[in-house]
Amino acid sequence: MAATANGTKVRSGADKKVATAFEKECIETLKQVNEYKLIAEANAVTSIYKDADLIRETSLKLEDITNNAWRVYFSIANDIINVEKKNTLDEITINMYLSKHSKLSKKYDEYGGYEKISNAIEYIHIDNFESYVSEIKKWNAVMRLVKIGFPVKDNLSKYVDAKAEDIYNELEALLNHTFINVEAEVKTYNACDGIYDLIDELNSGSQVGMPLDHANILNKEIGGINFNGNIYGLGANSGVGKSTTAINYLMPSVLHHNEKMVMMINEEDQNKVKKELLIWVANNIFRGDIHKYQLRDGNFSPEMMEILKKAANYLEELKERRNITIIPFEKYTVKAAIKIIKKYSSMGVRLFVLDTLKESADSRNIDTWKSMERDMVDLYDVVKPAAKNVALFVTYQLGKASVKLRYLTNNEIGQAKNILDVFSVNLMMRKPFEDEFPGGSHEIKAYKLSKNKNTKVPYILNRNKHYMITFITKNRFGATDQFQIISEYDLSTNVHEDVAICNIAQDF
């Protein structure tokens, strides 16, 4: 590398030859990848012409396809089905569409027109469509590796029969092998050494985590969310409000303490999460009384619009901090979740949410519960102190039989209850039954504790309010099942607060 008179660096002739050689190798490798990829692109696009519904459901995009001919055919199919909302890709429909797009029509004819598709349709099997798409995405990943200089050129023929996950595992093994000896010495510790330092560390509050929002009683019991390699579980029946509770507990606190959180979701989209946060800010920060059905129905009143805009401005001002990242799964797999945790933890994120835990889409285990237990162990191996040392908050659904139970225990998870082995804290929630209100046959006797905890002040449930009962069924930071927590909780407005404790009678 030589320098000009003004200090600007320019490449010497030798540098140019090295760069050109590298670029040539990249171009040749990419050409080879495109040759391998061509068949998958042809099969995937032909499948769409055989069954047009496939393009409505697939994650395949135009940018995934590199061959010009199949890009043209895909673009035509996508516009006819997804833009013009037609239902078929027959020759007449295609010709009508192309009559309005002369440039595209010229390319279509150049690449063989409808005859090319009709000939290919004869041998295509649409049952293999997902495998064609996976093949395309695999080769796209390999192309990205080529462009950033990964050594994949000599392995291309081996990648033909490999899955994307196999390639990932191979490269991860290569990195592990490279770095395995960076720290050759195994560390040992004298259990009796450094005790004074430990006392000082504990005295500083190092074991106290980020508090859950408006959950003062619960925070006293579990110490908030401790980021040092802990998993927190929240279980409830369908419709009780697991996702909303996770959002209400964590998002406001993350914003307040300027933490960073990644929320992985597999049952909702990102707008659902944004609406929950918008409602929370509108009602808790600006004291509005906005209900979710009002957002659904639209036609906002001037007063409601004013509050929503204030909430939007509040969140807009926090946007650049990037406290909360939402990642919706098209198909949930524990491998995808692990990759996300590894990636974002290296960027400083200390809190991850998985909403909702379920069996991985790629699991082939007949017993769902065994698959979920294995997945939780894999997740813990990533978040534990010896690995990424971050916190994971997991929501999950209880067994159907629990819907009639008053006292929730870890048994309500069913055969998969061993997922709790790696949890530091497990919470379960339910709404009160009708007969648990005052005058009912199972009336809940709730009370508040005075500041010195010596006096119990009765708390009477109000039939006109909404409540949630929280059970602490596992707690490595304090007592387990000592009492249950009563919270005033309105899922329609995202306003909640711990108000009392009680002792629910066990079911027999």
Side-chain angles (χ1 to χ4, degrees), residues 22 26 29-30 33-34 37 63-66 134 136-152 156 164 171 339:
F22 173 74
C26 284
T29 306
L30 290 172
V33 172
N34 278 323
K37 188 185 175 195
E63 54 266 29
D64 294 325
I65 301 171
T66 49
S134 296
I136 291 170
K137 291 182 179 290
K138 174 187 78 176
W139 288 119
N140 283 344
V142 173
M143 292 172 77
R144 287 192 289 272
L145 292 174
V146 172
K147 292 175 182 177
I148 61 176
F150 263 72
V152 298
L156 292 183
L171 293 174
K339 288 179 185 177

PDB file of all heavy atoms in Angstrom, residues 22 26 29-30 33-34 37 63-66 134 136-152 156 164 171 339:
ATOM      1  N   PHE A  22      -8.922 -12.359  -5.621  1.00  0.00           N
ATOM      2  CA  PHE A  22      -9.978 -12.704  -4.658  1.00  0.00           C
ATOM      3  C   PHE A  22     -11.361 -12.499  -5.268  1.00  0.00           C
ATOM      4  O   PHE A  22     -12.253 -13.326  -5.126  1.00  0.00           O
ATOM      5  CB  PHE A  22      -9.820 -11.854  -3.398  1.00  0.00           C
ATOM      6  CG  PHE A  22     -10.944 -12.016  -2.409  1.00  0.00           C
ATOM      7  CD1 PHE A  22     -11.060 -13.159  -1.644  1.00  0.00           C
ATOM      8  CD2 PHE A  22     -11.909 -11.026  -2.261  1.00  0.00           C
ATOM      9  CE1 PHE A  22     -12.097 -13.318  -0.748  1.00  0.00           C
ATOM     10  CE2 PHE A  22     -12.952 -11.168  -1.370  1.00  0.00           C
ATOM     11  CZ  PHE A  22     -13.038 -12.316  -0.608  1.00  0.00           C
ATOM     12  N   CYS A  26     -14.373 -15.214  -5.993  1.00  0.00           N
ATOM     13  CA  CYS A  26     -15.748 -15.032  -5.513  1.00  0.00           C
ATOM     14  C   CYS A  26     -16.742 -15.178  -6.662  1.00  0.00           C
ATOM     15  O   CYS A  26     -17.778 -15.856  -6.526  1.00  0.00           O
ATOM     16  CB  CYS A  26     -15.910 -13.659  -4.869  1.00  0.00           C
ATOM     17  SG  CYS A  26     -15.193 -13.529  -3.224  1.00  0.00           S
ATOM     18  N   THR A  29     -17.033 -18.788  -7.724  1.00  0.00           N
ATOM     19  CA  THR A  29     -17.751 -19.582  -6.710  1.00  0.00           C
ATOM     20  C   THR A  29     -19.244 -19.285  -6.758  1.00  0.00           C
ATOM     21  O   THR A  29     -20.072 -20.199  -6.676  1.00  0.00           O
ATOM     22  CB  THR A  29     -17.199 -19.275  -5.303  1.00  0.00           C
ATOM     23  OG1 THR A  29     -15.793 -19.479  -5.288  1.00  0.00           O
ATOM     24  CG2 THR A  29     -17.849 -20.186  -4.260  1.00  0.00           C
ATOM     25  N   LEU A  30     -19.597 -18.013  -6.916  1.00  0.00           N
ATOM     26  CA  LEU A  30     -21.016 -17.636  -6.995  1.00  0.00           C
ATOM     27  C   LEU A  30     -21.677 -18.239  -8.232  1.00  0.00           C
ATOM     28  O   LEU A  30     -22.838 -18.656  -8.184  1.00  0.00           O
ATOM     29  CB  LEU A  30     -21.160 -16.115  -6.996  1.00  0.00           C
ATOM     30  CG  LEU A  30     -20.834 -15.414  -5.670  1.00  0.00           C
ATOM     31  CD1 LEU A  30     -20.826 -13.899  -5.850  1.00  0.00           C
ATOM     32  CD2 LEU A  30     -21.837 -15.811  -4.586  1.00  0.00           C
ATOM     33  N   VAL A  33     -22.430 -21.786  -7.355  1.00  0.00           N
ATOM     34  CA  VAL A  33     -23.581 -21.864  -6.456  1.00  0.00           C
ATOM     35  C   VAL A  33     -24.879 -21.686  -7.239  1.00  0.00           C
ATOM     36  O   VAL A  33     -25.865 -22.401  -7.029  1.00  0.00           O
ATOM     37  CB  VAL A  33     -23.476 -20.810  -5.337  1.00  0.00           C
ATOM     38  CG1 VAL A  33     -24.765 -20.766  -4.517  1.00  0.00           C
ATOM     39  CG2 VAL A  33     -22.304 -21.109  -4.421  1.00  0.00           C
ATOM     40  N   ASN A  34     -24.896 -20.719  -8.153  1.00  0.00           N
ATOM     41  CA  ASN A  34     -26.098 -20.479  -8.957  1.00  0.00           C
ATOM     42  C   ASN A  34     -26.475 -21.686  -9.799  1.00  0.00           C
ATOM     43  O   ASN A  34     -27.656 -21.945 -10.045  1.00  0.00           O
ATOM     44  CB  ASN A  34     -25.899 -19.248  -9.843  1.00  0.00           C
ATOM     45  CG  ASN A  34     -26.155 -17.953  -9.093  1.00  0.00           C
ATOM     46  OD1 ASN A  34     -27.048 -17.887  -8.261  1.00  0.00           O
ATOM     47  ND2 ASN A  34     -25.359 -16.934  -9.361  1.00  0.00           N
ATOM     48  N   LYS A  37     -28.163 -24.015  -7.508  1.00  0.00           N
ATOM     49  CA  LYS A  37     -29.411 -23.434  -7.036  1.00  0.00           C
ATOM     50  C   LYS A  37     -30.500 -23.410  -8.100  1.00  0.00           C
ATOM     51  O   LYS A  37     -31.694 -23.378  -7.792  1.00  0.00           O
ATOM     52  CB  LYS A  37     -29.124 -22.008  -6.556  1.00  0.00           C
ATOM     53  CG  LYS A  37     -30.266 -21.292  -5.860  1.00  0.00           C
ATOM     54  CD  LYS A  37     -29.853 -19.857  -5.558  1.00  0.00           C
ATOM     55  CE  LYS A  37     -31.014 -19.080  -4.983  1.00  0.00           C
ATOM     56  NZ  LYS A  37     -30.796 -17.640  -4.990  1.00  0.00           N
ATOM     57  N   GLU A  63     -36.378 -11.491  -4.189  1.00  0.00           N
ATOM     58  CA  GLU A  63     -34.945 -11.322  -3.976  1.00  0.00           C
ATOM     59  C   GLU A  63     -34.231 -12.629  -3.642  1.00  0.00           C
ATOM     60  O   GLU A  63     -33.001 -12.710  -3.694  1.00  0.00           O
ATOM     61  CB  GLU A  63     -34.668 -10.290  -2.876  1.00  0.00           C
ATOM     62  CG  GLU A  63     -35.373 -10.560  -1.568  1.00  0.00           C
ATOM     63  CD  GLU A  63     -36.696  -9.829  -1.447  1.00  0.00           C
ATOM     64  OE1 GLU A  63     -37.343  -9.577  -2.491  1.00  0.00           O
ATOM     65  OE2 GLU A  63     -37.077  -9.507  -0.309  1.00  0.00           O
ATOM     66  N   ASP A  64     -35.002 -13.679  -3.315  1.00  0.00           N
ATOM     67  CA  ASP A  64     -34.399 -14.983  -3.039  1.00  0.00           C
ATOM     68  C   ASP A  64     -33.970 -15.697  -4.319  1.00  0.00           C
ATOM     69  O   ASP A  64     -33.178 -16.635  -4.272  1.00  0.00           O
ATOM     70  CB  ASP A  64     -35.389 -15.887  -2.281  1.00  0.00           C
ATOM     71  CG  ASP A  64     -35.690 -15.368  -0.888  1.00  0.00           C
ATOM     72  OD1 ASP A  64     -34.769 -14.815  -0.262  1.00  0.00           O
ATOM     73  OD2 ASP A  64     -36.833 -15.516  -0.428  1.00  0.00           O
ATOM     74  N   ILE A  65     -34.522 -15.284  -5.438  1.00  0.00           N
ATOM     75  CA  ILE A  65     -34.290 -15.968  -6.719  1.00  0.00           C
ATOM     76  C   ILE A  65     -33.263 -15.180  -7.528  1.00  0.00           C
ATOM     77  O   ILE A  65     -33.393 -13.963  -7.699  1.00  0.00           O
ATOM     78  CB  ILE A  65     -35.602 -16.101  -7.505  1.00  0.00           C
ATOM     79  CG1 ILE A  65     -36.624 -16.889  -6.658  1.00  0.00           C
ATOM     80  CG2 ILE A  65     -35.390 -16.784  -8.852  1.00  0.00           C
ATOM     81  CD1 ILE A  65     -38.011 -16.905  -7.231  1.00  0.00           C
ATOM     82  N   THR A  66     -32.253 -15.884  -8.045  1.00  0.00           N
ATOM     83  CA  THR A  66     -31.175 -15.197  -8.760  1.00  0.00           C
ATOM     84  C   THR A  66     -31.210 -15.425 -10.266  1.00  0.00           C
ATOM     85  O   THR A  66     -30.720 -14.591 -11.025  1.00  0.00           O
ATOM     86  CB  THR A  66     -29.804 -15.623  -8.203  1.00  0.00           C
ATOM     87  OG1 THR A  66     -29.750 -17.048  -8.117  1.00  0.00           O
ATOM     88  CG2 THR A  66     -29.582 -15.049  -6.819  1.00  0.00           C
ATOM     89  N   SER A 134     -36.531 -24.418   0.904  1.00  0.00           N
ATOM     90  CA  SER A 134     -35.414 -24.566   1.845  1.00  0.00           C
ATOM     91  C   SER A 134     -34.085 -24.644   1.108  1.00  0.00           C
ATOM     92  O   SER A 134     -33.072 -24.097   1.560  1.00  0.00           O
ATOM     93  CB  SER A 134     -35.616 -25.824   2.706  1.00  0.00           C
ATOM     94  OG  SER A 134     -36.760 -25.699   3.513  1.00  0.00           O
ATOM     95  N   ILE A 136     -33.385 -23.298  -1.806  1.00  0.00           N
ATOM     96  CA  ILE A 136     -33.060 -21.950  -2.293  1.00  0.00           C
ATOM     97  C   ILE A 136     -32.452 -21.114  -1.165  1.00  0.00           C
ATOM     98  O   ILE A 136     -31.424 -20.450  -1.338  1.00  0.00           O
ATOM     99  CB  ILE A 136     -34.316 -21.257  -2.846  1.00  0.00           C
ATOM    100  CG1 ILE A 136     -34.776 -21.942  -4.135  1.00  0.00           C
ATOM    101  CG2 ILE A 136     -34.058 -19.772  -3.103  1.00  0.00           C
ATOM    102  CD1 ILE A 136     -36.139 -21.480  -4.633  1.00  0.00           C
ATOM    103  N   LYS A 137     -33.073 -21.135  -0.021  1.00  0.00           N
ATOM    104  CA  LYS A 137     -32.589 -20.329   1.102  1.00  0.00           C
ATOM    105  C   LYS A 137     -31.233 -20.823   1.601  1.00  0.00           C
ATOM    106  O   LYS A 137     -30.397 -20.030   2.066  1.00  0.00           O
ATOM    107  CB  LYS A 137     -33.635 -20.316   2.218  1.00  0.00           C
ATOM    108  CG  LYS A 137     -34.891 -19.533   1.840  1.00  0.00           C
ATOM    109  CD  LYS A 137     -35.903 -19.493   2.970  1.00  0.00           C
ATOM    110  CE  LYS A 137     -37.132 -18.683   2.574  1.00  0.00           C
ATOM    111  NZ  LYS A 137     -36.844 -17.248   2.463  1.00  0.00           N
ATOM    112  N   LYS A 138     -31.012 -22.134   1.511  1.00  0.00           N
ATOM    113  CA  LYS A 138     -29.702 -22.678   1.889  1.00  0.00           C
ATOM    114  C   LYS A 138     -28.609 -22.093   0.997  1.00  0.00           C
ATOM    115  O   LYS A 138     -27.584 -21.605   1.477  1.00  0.00           O
ATOM    116  CB  LYS A 138     -29.712 -24.199   1.767  1.00  0.00           C
ATOM    117  CG  LYS A 138     -28.340 -24.842   1.994  1.00  0.00           C
ATOM    118  CD  LYS A 138     -28.354 -26.327   1.689  1.00  0.00           C
ATOM    119  CE  LYS A 138     -28.301 -26.585   0.188  1.00  0.00           C
ATOM    120  NZ  LYS A 138     -28.219 -28.030  -0.126  1.00  0.00           N
ATOM    121  N   TRP A 139     -28.836 -22.138  -0.313  1.00  0.00           N
ATOM    122  CA  TRP A 139     -27.826 -21.628  -1.237  1.00  0.00           C
ATOM    123  C   TRP A 139     -27.670 -20.116  -1.119  1.00  0.00           C
ATOM    124  O   TRP A 139     -26.571 -19.581  -1.322  1.00  0.00           O
ATOM    125  CB  TRP A 139     -28.167 -22.031  -2.675  1.00  0.00           C
ATOM    126  CG  TRP A 139     -27.945 -23.494  -2.940  1.00  0.00           C
ATOM    127  CD1 TRP A 139     -28.865 -24.420  -3.317  1.00  0.00           C
ATOM    128  CD2 TRP A 139     -26.697 -24.199  -2.840  1.00  0.00           C
ATOM    129  NE1 TRP A 139     -28.295 -25.658  -3.460  1.00  0.00           N
ATOM    130  CE2 TRP A 139     -26.951 -25.552  -3.172  1.00  0.00           C
ATOM    131  CE3 TRP A 139     -25.401 -23.827  -2.501  1.00  0.00           C
ATOM    132  CZ2 TRP A 139     -25.959 -26.515  -3.169  1.00  0.00           C
ATOM    133  CZ3 TRP A 139     -24.403 -24.803  -2.491  1.00  0.00           C
ATOM    134  CH2 TRP A 139     -24.682 -26.123  -2.826  1.00  0.00           C
ATOM    135  N   ASN A 140     -28.750 -19.413  -0.772  1.00  0.00           N
ATOM    136  CA  ASN A 140     -28.624 -17.967  -0.542  1.00  0.00           C
ATOM    137  C   ASN A 140     -27.698 -17.691   0.635  1.00  0.00           C
ATOM    138  O   ASN A 140     -26.900 -16.746   0.613  1.00  0.00           O
ATOM    139  CB  ASN A 140     -29.998 -17.342  -0.280  1.00  0.00           C
ATOM    140  CG  ASN A 140     -30.805 -17.170  -1.550  1.00  0.00           C
ATOM    141  OD1 ASN A 140     -30.259 -17.227  -2.649  1.00  0.00           O
ATOM    142  ND2 ASN A 140     -32.093 -16.966  -1.420  1.00  0.00           N
ATOM    143  N   ALA A 141     -27.808 -18.525   1.684  1.00  0.00           N
ATOM    144  CA  ALA A 141     -26.918 -18.376   2.839  1.00  0.00           C
ATOM    145  C   ALA A 141     -25.472 -18.640   2.435  1.00  0.00           C
ATOM    146  O   ALA A 141     -24.549 -17.932   2.863  1.00  0.00           O
ATOM    147  CB  ALA A 141     -27.351 -19.325   3.957  1.00  0.00           C
ATOM    148  N   VAL A 142     -25.266 -19.665   1.603  1.00  0.00           N
ATOM    149  CA  VAL A 142     -23.910 -19.971   1.129  1.00  0.00           C
ATOM    150  C   VAL A 142     -23.353 -18.804   0.310  1.00  0.00           C
ATOM    151  O   VAL A 142     -22.177 -18.447   0.430  1.00  0.00           O
ATOM    152  CB  VAL A 142     -23.914 -21.270   0.298  1.00  0.00           C
ATOM    153  CG1 VAL A 142     -22.551 -21.506  -0.345  1.00  0.00           C
ATOM    154  CG2 VAL A 142     -24.288 -22.472   1.168  1.00  0.00           C
ATOM    155  N   MET A 143     -24.212 -18.195  -0.508  1.00  0.00           N
ATOM    156  CA  MET A 143     -23.762 -17.040  -1.300  1.00  0.00           C
ATOM    157  C   MET A 143     -23.321 -15.886  -0.402  1.00  0.00           C
ATOM    158  O   MET A 143     -22.331 -15.195  -0.696  1.00  0.00           O
ATOM    159  CB  MET A 143     -24.885 -16.594  -2.246  1.00  0.00           C
ATOM    160  CG  MET A 143     -25.177 -17.597  -3.348  1.00  0.00           C
ATOM    161  SD  MET A 143     -26.653 -17.194  -4.316  1.00  0.00           S
ATOM    162  CE  MET A 143     -26.009 -15.885  -5.347  1.00  0.00           C
ATOM    163  N   ARG A 144     -24.034 -15.663   0.683  1.00  0.00           N
ATOM    164  CA  ARG A 144     -23.629 -14.607   1.608  1.00  0.00           C
ATOM    165  C   ARG A 144     -22.282 -14.937   2.255  1.00  0.00           C
ATOM    166  O   ARG A 144     -21.454 -14.051   2.486  1.00  0.00           O
ATOM    167  CB  ARG A 144     -24.712 -14.395   2.679  1.00  0.00           C
ATOM    168  CG  ARG A 144     -25.961 -13.707   2.148  1.00  0.00           C
ATOM    169  CD  ARG A 144     -26.879 -13.247   3.264  1.00  0.00           C
ATOM    170  NE  ARG A 144     -27.533 -14.359   3.931  1.00  0.00           N
ATOM    171  CZ  ARG A 144     -28.687 -14.897   3.544  1.00  0.00           C
ATOM    172  NH1 ARG A 144     -29.311 -14.407   2.481  1.00  0.00           N
ATOM    173  NH2 ARG A 144     -29.229 -15.898   4.207  1.00  0.00           N
ATOM    174  N   LEU A 145     -22.078 -16.227   2.538  1.00  0.00           N
ATOM    175  CA  LEU A 145     -20.793 -16.649   3.101  1.00  0.00           C
ATOM    176  C   LEU A 145     -19.660 -16.387   2.110  1.00  0.00           C
ATOM    177  O   LEU A 145     -18.574 -15.947   2.492  1.00  0.00           O
ATOM    178  CB  LEU A 145     -20.844 -18.139   3.468  1.00  0.00           C
ATOM    179  CG  LEU A 145     -21.748 -18.538   4.634  1.00  0.00           C
ATOM    180  CD1 LEU A 145     -21.788 -20.054   4.767  1.00  0.00           C
ATOM    181  CD2 LEU A 145     -21.267 -17.913   5.936  1.00  0.00           C
ATOM    182  N   VAL A 146     -19.912 -16.674   0.841  1.00  0.00           N
ATOM    183  CA  VAL A 146     -18.903 -16.436  -0.200  1.00  0.00           C
ATOM    184  C   VAL A 146     -18.520 -14.960  -0.234  1.00  0.00           C
ATOM    185  O   VAL A 146     -17.341 -14.599  -0.288  1.00  0.00           O
ATOM    186  CB  VAL A 146     -19.429 -16.881  -1.581  1.00  0.00           C
ATOM    187  CG1 VAL A 146     -18.456 -16.461  -2.685  1.00  0.00           C
ATOM    188  CG2 VAL A 146     -19.645 -18.390  -1.619  1.00  0.00           C
ATOM    189  N   LYS A 147     -19.522 -14.096  -0.170  1.00  0.00           N
ATOM    190  CA  LYS A 147     -19.278 -12.655  -0.303  1.00  0.00           C
ATOM    191  C   LYS A 147     -18.491 -12.063   0.856  1.00  0.00           C
ATOM    192  O   LYS A 147     -17.826 -11.041   0.698  1.00  0.00           O
ATOM    193  CB  LYS A 147     -20.619 -11.927  -0.466  1.00  0.00           C
ATOM    194  CG  LYS A 147     -21.306 -12.231  -1.793  1.00  0.00           C
ATOM    195  CD  LYS A 147     -22.691 -11.601  -1.868  1.00  0.00           C
ATOM    196  CE  LYS A 147     -23.388 -11.961  -3.170  1.00  0.00           C
ATOM    197  NZ  LYS A 147     -24.764 -11.414  -3.244  1.00  0.00           N
ATOM    198  N   ILE A 148     -18.581 -12.710   2.036  1.00  0.00           N
ATOM    199  CA  ILE A 148     -17.810 -12.191   3.180  1.00  0.00           C
ATOM    200  C   ILE A 148     -16.520 -12.975   3.396  1.00  0.00           C
ATOM    201  O   ILE A 148     -15.830 -12.781   4.392  1.00  0.00           O
ATOM    202  CB  ILE A 148     -18.655 -12.172   4.472  1.00  0.00           C
ATOM    203  CG1 ILE A 148     -19.107 -13.591   4.861  1.00  0.00           C
ATOM    204  CG2 ILE A 148     -19.830 -11.246   4.341  1.00  0.00           C
ATOM    205  CD1 ILE A 148     -19.854 -13.647   6.179  1.00  0.00           C
ATOM    206  N   GLY A 149     -16.214 -13.878   2.436  1.00  0.00           N
ATOM    207  CA  GLY A 149     -14.907 -14.523   2.457  1.00  0.00           C
ATOM    208  C   GLY A 149     -14.798 -15.815   3.231  1.00  0.00           C
ATOM    209  O   GLY A 149     -13.688 -16.266   3.519  1.00  0.00           O
ATOM    210  N   PHE A 150     -15.920 -16.474   3.586  1.00  0.00           N
ATOM    211  CA  PHE A 150     -15.839 -17.756   4.278  1.00  0.00           C
ATOM    212  C   PHE A 150     -15.282 -18.820   3.343  1.00  0.00           C
ATOM    213  O   PHE A 150     -15.585 -18.827   2.140  1.00  0.00           O
ATOM    214  CB  PHE A 150     -17.219 -18.183   4.784  1.00  0.00           C
ATOM    215  CG  PHE A 150     -17.458 -17.837   6.223  1.00  0.00           C
ATOM    216  CD1 PHE A 150     -17.654 -16.529   6.613  1.00  0.00           C
ATOM    217  CD2 PHE A 150     -17.472 -18.827   7.193  1.00  0.00           C
ATOM    218  CE1 PHE A 150     -17.867 -16.212   7.940  1.00  0.00           C
ATOM    219  CE2 PHE A 150     -17.687 -18.519   8.523  1.00  0.00           C
ATOM    220  CZ  PHE A 150     -17.886 -17.201   8.902  1.00  0.00           C
ATOM    221  N   PRO A 151     -14.518 -19.760   3.857  1.00  0.00           N
ATOM    222  CA  PRO A 151     -13.902 -20.786   3.010  1.00  0.00           C
ATOM    223  C   PRO A 151     -14.876 -21.912   2.662  1.00  0.00           C
ATOM    224  O   PRO A 151     -14.847 -22.989   3.261  1.00  0.00           O
ATOM    225  CB  PRO A 151     -12.759 -21.311   3.894  1.00  0.00           C
ATOM    226  CG  PRO A 151     -13.255 -21.122   5.294  1.00  0.00           C
ATOM    227  CD  PRO A 151     -14.086 -19.871   5.267  1.00  0.00           C
ATOM    228  N   VAL A 152     -15.750 -21.659   1.703  1.00  0.00           N
ATOM    229  CA  VAL A 152     -16.757 -22.667   1.344  1.00  0.00           C
ATOM    230  C   VAL A 152     -16.558 -23.239  -0.058  1.00  0.00           C
ATOM    231  O   VAL A 152     -17.218 -24.200  -0.436  1.00  0.00           O
ATOM    232  CB  VAL A 152     -18.182 -22.064   1.443  1.00  0.00           C
ATOM    233  CG1 VAL A 152     -18.488 -21.638   2.858  1.00  0.00           C
ATOM    234  CG2 VAL A 152     -18.344 -20.882   0.494  1.00  0.00           C
ATOM    235  N   LEU A 156     -18.554 -27.034  -1.803  1.00  0.00           N
ATOM    236  CA  LEU A 156     -19.839 -26.827  -2.474  1.00  0.00           C
ATOM    237  C   LEU A 156     -20.497 -28.141  -2.867  1.00  0.00           C
ATOM    238  O   LEU A 156     -21.710 -28.312  -2.697  1.00  0.00           O
ATOM    239  CB  LEU A 156     -19.663 -25.928  -3.698  1.00  0.00           C
ATOM    240  CG  LEU A 156     -19.296 -24.470  -3.412  1.00  0.00           C
ATOM    241  CD1 LEU A 156     -19.216 -23.684  -4.708  1.00  0.00           C
ATOM    242  CD2 LEU A 156     -20.304 -23.819  -2.478  1.00  0.00           C
ATOM    243  N   ALA A 164     -29.284 -26.602   5.473  1.00  0.00           N
ATOM    244  CA  ALA A 164     -28.681 -25.353   5.958  1.00  0.00           C
ATOM    245  C   ALA A 164     -28.138 -25.518   7.371  1.00  0.00           C
ATOM    246  O   ALA A 164     -27.063 -25.005   7.707  1.00  0.00           O
ATOM    247  CB  ALA A 164     -29.712 -24.223   5.910  1.00  0.00           C
ATOM    248  N   LEU A 171     -19.655 -25.115  10.214  1.00  0.00           N
ATOM    249  CA  LEU A 171     -18.883 -23.888  10.358  1.00  0.00           C
ATOM    250  C   LEU A 171     -18.718 -23.501  11.824  1.00  0.00           C
ATOM    251  O   LEU A 171     -17.680 -22.980  12.222  1.00  0.00           O
ATOM    252  CB  LEU A 171     -19.560 -22.759   9.585  1.00  0.00           C
ATOM    253  CG  LEU A 171     -19.565 -22.942   8.059  1.00  0.00           C
ATOM    254  CD1 LEU A 171     -20.383 -21.843   7.390  1.00  0.00           C
ATOM    255  CD2 LEU A 171     -18.154 -22.969   7.510  1.00  0.00           C
ATOM    256  N   LYS A 339     -29.950 -19.203  18.077  1.00  0.00           N
ATOM    257  CA  LYS A 339     -29.141 -18.323  17.222  1.00  0.00           C
ATOM    258  C   LYS A 339     -29.401 -16.854  17.553  1.00  0.00           C
ATOM    259  O   LYS A 339     -28.476 -16.030  17.597  1.00  0.00           O
ATOM    260  CB  LYS A 339     -29.461 -18.589  15.749  1.00  0.00           C
ATOM    261  CG  LYS A 339     -28.919 -19.897  15.225  1.00  0.00           C
ATOM    262  CD  LYS A 339     -29.301 -20.089  13.762  1.00  0.00           C
ATOM    263  CE  LYS A 339     -28.877 -21.450  13.240  1.00  0.00           C
ATOM    264  NZ  LYS A 339     -29.316 -21.674  11.841  1.00  0.00           N
TER     265      LYS A 339
END
